[in-house]
């Protein structure tokens, strides 16, 4: 007599076989339990922990990622990534039961300033200036100035600046060097206040004919207007008013400069780079012709520059002293293009 296995029992037997097979594979197949396989650009170490100990090998697809097998782990060691681009290596772990491929990633290297500017102007007080630098690499900071001390921290460098009692503006260059990337960042520090401009100077400028002129002048406090100064000596008999402009000073267009020959009122008017005078009735918006120290050729220079262009778009290159009588413009008594101070 033939025996039949009921049709419905076949799937159940198959399911039982599959279940046993899955359990066997889960017990003996190689699995990654956890890993630390993402790295910043700086050389570092990580690991891959496996579900079994010994009897496995590991290899890396890239030379910058070295692997070592130890008990139930694969130890990772990555070198510095000096490229801006990130990179990836594949670590293959193999045993008798199979293999696993684990990606190892490393971010790109960078050394940059987040300060947002290349130079800083600070007042004469003792202070700390934070200079933000972003990098995972070590770096060093240096300066030739005895009045600045760099202190490197986790988020950048703090520049400790001593008070300036010299009575004159001063400048220093600070360098930040990252040996791992062979990159250098530099920043300039100016320290001064408006009062440092008081005293004797030599003024240089171009006259209307383009000839270079030179004359000794004085910047003195304006006793009749506290907090302001005047330039004496640039034009005989005229005291040109000067105002504080940030830490520096500026000559302001449309400002009254006094009497000339006891009958003319003198006003400061803007002068374009091509010697066109912009009278106060034509150019009603006041412009600042300011003087900021600039460190050039191993010394400080003091050129004047305009804070904006004229309404017609032309650049301001200087100023003129225009004479008025009964509110009528009688013409310029002098003009000063590309004014610069030295001392």
């Amino acid at each position: 007599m033939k025996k039949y296995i009921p049709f419905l029992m076949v799937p159940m037997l198959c399911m039982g076989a599959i279940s046993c097979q899955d359990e066997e594979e889960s017990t003996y197949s190689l699995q990654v339990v956890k890993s630390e396989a993402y790295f910043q650009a700086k050389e570092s170490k990580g690991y891959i922990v496996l579900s079994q100990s010994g009897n496995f090998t590991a290899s890396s697809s890239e030379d910058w990622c070295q692997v070592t097998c130890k008990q139930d782990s694969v130890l990772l060691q990555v070198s510095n990534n000096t490229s801006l681009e990130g990179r990836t290596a594949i670590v293959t772990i193999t045993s008798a039961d199979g293999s696993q491929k684990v990606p190892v990633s490393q971010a790109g290297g960078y050394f940059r300033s987040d300060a947002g500017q290349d130079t800083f102007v600070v007042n004469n007080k003792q202070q700390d200036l934070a200079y933000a630098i972003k990098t995972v690499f070590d770096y060093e900071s240096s300066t030739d100035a005895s009045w600045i001390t760099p202190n490197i921290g986790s988020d950048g460098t703090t520049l400790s600046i001593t008070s300036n009692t010299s009575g004159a503006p001063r400048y220093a260059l600070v360098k930040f060097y990252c040996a791992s990337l062979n990159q250098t960042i530099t920043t300039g520090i100016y320290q001064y206040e408006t009062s440092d401009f008081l005293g004797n100077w030599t003024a240089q400028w171009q006259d209307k004919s383009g000839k270079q002129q030179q004359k000794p002048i004085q910047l003195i406090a304006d006793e009749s207007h506290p907090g302001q100064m005047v330039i004496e000596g640039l034009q005989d008999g005229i005291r040109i008013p000067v105002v504080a402009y940030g830490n520096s000073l500026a000559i302001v267009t449309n400002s009254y400069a006094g009497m000339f020959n006891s009958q003319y009122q003198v006003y400061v008017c803007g002068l374009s780079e091509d010697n066109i005078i912009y009278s106060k009735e034509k150019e009603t918006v006041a412009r600042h012709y300011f003087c900021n120290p600039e460190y050039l050729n191993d010394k400080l220079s003091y050129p004047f520059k305009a804070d904006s262009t004229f309404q017609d778009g032309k650049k301001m290159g200087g100023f003129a002293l225009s004479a008025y009588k009964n509110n009528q413009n009688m013409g310029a008594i002098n003009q000063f293009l590309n004014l610069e101070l030295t001392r």
Side-chain angles (χ1 to χ4, degrees), residues 57-110:
T57 60
S59 62
S60 171
S61 63
E62 306 295 335
D63 291 339
W64 55 266
C65 177
Q66 298 295 311
V67 296
T68 303
C69 298
K70 186 175 182 181
Q71 297 179 353
D72 65 344
S73 300
V74 177
L75 305 182
L76 309 173
Q77 182 164 349
V78 298
S79 59
N80 286 337
N81 184 7
T82 58
S83 170
L84 282 173
E85 298 293 331
R87 57 189 182 182
T88 300
I90 300 298
V91 173
T92 302
I93 305 167
T94 305
S95 71
D97 300 306
S99 64
Q100 286 277 359
K101 294 185 181 295
V102 180
V104 177
S105 299
Q106 187 178 29
Y110 55 88

Side-chain angles (χ1 to χ4, degrees), residues 61-191:
S61 63
E62 306 295 335
D63 291 339
W64 55 266
C65 177
Q66 298 295 311
V67 296
T68 303
C69 298
K70 186 175 182 181
Q71 297 179 353
D72 65 344
S73 300
V74 177
L75 305 182
L76 309 173
Q77 182 164 349
V78 298
S79 59
N80 286 337
N81 184 7
T82 58
S83 170
L84 282 173
E85 298 293 331
R87 57 189 182 182
T88 300
I90 300 298
V91 173
T92 302
I93 305 167
T94 305
S95 71
D97 300 306
S99 64
Q100 286 277 359
K101 294 185 181 295
V102 180
V104 177
S105 299
Q106 187 178 29
Y110 55 88
F111 179 61
R112 67 173 186 266
S113 166
D114 278 0
Q117 57 194 88
D118 295 329
T119 59
F120 294 84
V121 177
V122 298
N123 59 33
N124 287 336
K125 296 179 180 179
Q126 179 180 345
Q127 59 199 282
D128 289 334
L129 177 65
Y131 190 81
I133 287 182
K134 296 298 183 182
T135 187
V136 295
F137 296 108
D138 295 330
Y139 65 93
E140 58 187 29
S141 179
S142 63
T143 179
D144 292 334
S146 60
W147 48 277
I148 297 180
T149 302
N151 300 296
I152 297 177
S154 58
D155 295 327
T157 298
T158 299
L159 304 176
S160 296
I161 303 172
T162 63
S163 58
N164 182 12
T165 59
S166 66
R170 60 185 181 182
Y171 170 85
L173 187 69
V174 182
K175 295 181 179 181
F176 307 90
Y177 176 67
C178 177
S180 297
L181 298 179
N182 192 27
Q183 292 182 8
T184 301
I185 298 172
T186 60
T187 186
I189 309 295
Y190 292 89
Q191 188 180 29

